[in-house]
Amino acid sequence: LSDKEQSIHASWEDNAAAWVEAIHQGRIESRVQVTNAAVVSAVREVARARVLDIGCGEGWLCRAAAKVGLAAVGFDGSAALIAEAEKLGGGEYQLLSYDDFAADPFRAGGVFDTVICNYSLLGEDVLPMLRGAAAVLEPGGRLIVQTLHPLSAVGADDRYEDGWRVEDFSGMGSGFKTHMPWYFRTIGSWISQIRLSGLQLVECREPIISERPMPASLLLIAARPSDI
Ligand SMILES: C[S@@+](CC[C@H](N)C(=O)[O-])C[C@H]1O[C@@H](n2cnc3c(N)ncnc32)[C@H](O)[C@@H]1O
């Protein structure tokens, strides 16, 4: 693991309890106002039977998928978050790192009609994960990626270009102990990563909160063609 990937992993172990609290208390405004509903409705539109949630955290999205009759499998690299997910149920959960998934994607649980990455592709090198997702998708299956909209993350001193940033979790409640590096990606960069993975982009949604000037998230839907 690179130093940055190691720091991302460490932050999710250190901040697991605070993260669980933030999710359960609805402390992240953009999630409550628009992005949770956006990803759940995308899942309802495209998923047929069996979904894989990559970087599932404490499992809320697997539980939402289970509620609408889907079989949900989630994996995450944080032991504390997987323990919480198992406690709350709703899916089959596994402690698995992205490196291990990328090395053998089928160990996550076989083949899926839908793979979801909800705010979980945080590092610079996302291609191994996207290729892993492509590998476990049935032909015609869909990948749903929701991520911070780059326009909502460009401050006055930032350039609109790929690069490492730092999340300090301010505004997400208390108890966050460790900052997290994350890799800012432009929309063009997300689209080229998807293309390089062999998947075909079918939709680009930009959920927006009505009182805000910029979209909260970027939600990409890509399809696995039958010939990869
Ligand atoms: C912002 S949280 C999102 C959690 C969940 N998808 C949600 O929407 O609430 C990012 C998740 O990605 C996981 N993650 C990040 N990098 C990882 C890696 N290299 N291996 C395994 N999990 C990783 C973290 O442990 C964390 O649970």
Side-chain angles (χ1 to χ4, degrees):
L1 286 188
S2 70
D3 285 358
K4 292 272 203 284
E5 301 284 345
Q6 190 57 49
S7 305
I8 292 174
H9 175 72
S11 78
W12 289 101
E13 289 294 5
D14 293 350
N15 295 329
W19 178 255
V20 168
E21 177 78 4
I23 297 300
H24 296 177
Q25 301 301 320
R27 295 252 158 78
I28 308 173
E29 196 193 10
S30 55
R31 286 189 168 229
V32 175
Q33 295 203 4
V34 70
T35 71
N36 285 353
V39 70
V40 169
S41 68
V43 170
R44 294 188 71 156
E45 283 167 53
V46 308
R48 294 185 298 271
R50 195 156 188 264
V51 306
L52 175 65
D53 186 4
I54 293 183
C56 62
E58 51 65 68
W60 77 269
L61 190 49
C62 286
R63 292 190 294 281
K67 266 200 196 130
V68 297
L70 297 162
V73 174
F75 74 85
D76 199 282
S78 161
L81 291 175
I82 286 295
E84 183 70 17
E86 280 173 341
K87 195 172 89 193
L88 298 170
E92 259 175 62
Y93 299 103
Q94 259 187 83
L95 179 62
L96 188 65
S97 75
Y98 289 179
D99 281 355
D100 289 344
F101 172 75
D104 177 10
F106 293 99
R107 68 187 286 176
V111 174
F112 298 88
D113 61 68
T114 303
V115 175
I116 315 157
C117 301
N118 194 51
Y119 294 99
S120 57
L121 297 178
L122 304 168
E124 180 169 2
D125 195 10
V126 295
L127 203 47
M129 297 303 294
L130 296 176
R131 289 198 170 124
V136 299
L137 276 174
E138 292 168 357
R142 295 289 193 264
L143 170 72
I144 300 170
V145 175
Q146 180 163 240
T147 184
L148 199 63
H149 197 290
L151 290 178
S152 67
V154 180
D157 301 327
D158 299 321
R159 270 179 69 81
Y160 183 74
E161 64 187 6
D162 286 10
W164 285 97
R165 304 280 175 86
V166 176
E167 172 64 64
D168 64 6
F169 300 98
S170 60
M172 298 193 199
S174 58
F176 286 93
K177 298 180 210 156
T178 308
H179 292 185
M180 177 191 72
W182 64 282
Y183 196 77
F184 175 95
R185 219 175 265 291
T186 63
I187 298 182
S189 170
W190 276 111
I191 290 174
S192 47
Q193 295 298 308
I194 298 231
R195 187 179 52 76
L196 288 168
S197 74
L199 296 168
Q200 284 175 350
L201 186 66
V202 290
E203 245 189 278
C204 168
R205 299 182 183 172
E206 297 171 292
I208 186 164
I209 300 170
S210 42
E211 311 81 61
R212 292 285 163 86
M214 297 298 178
S217 71
L218 176 67
L219 192 153
L220 302 171
I221 303 178
R224 178 184 161 141
S226 30
D227 57 349
I228 62 163

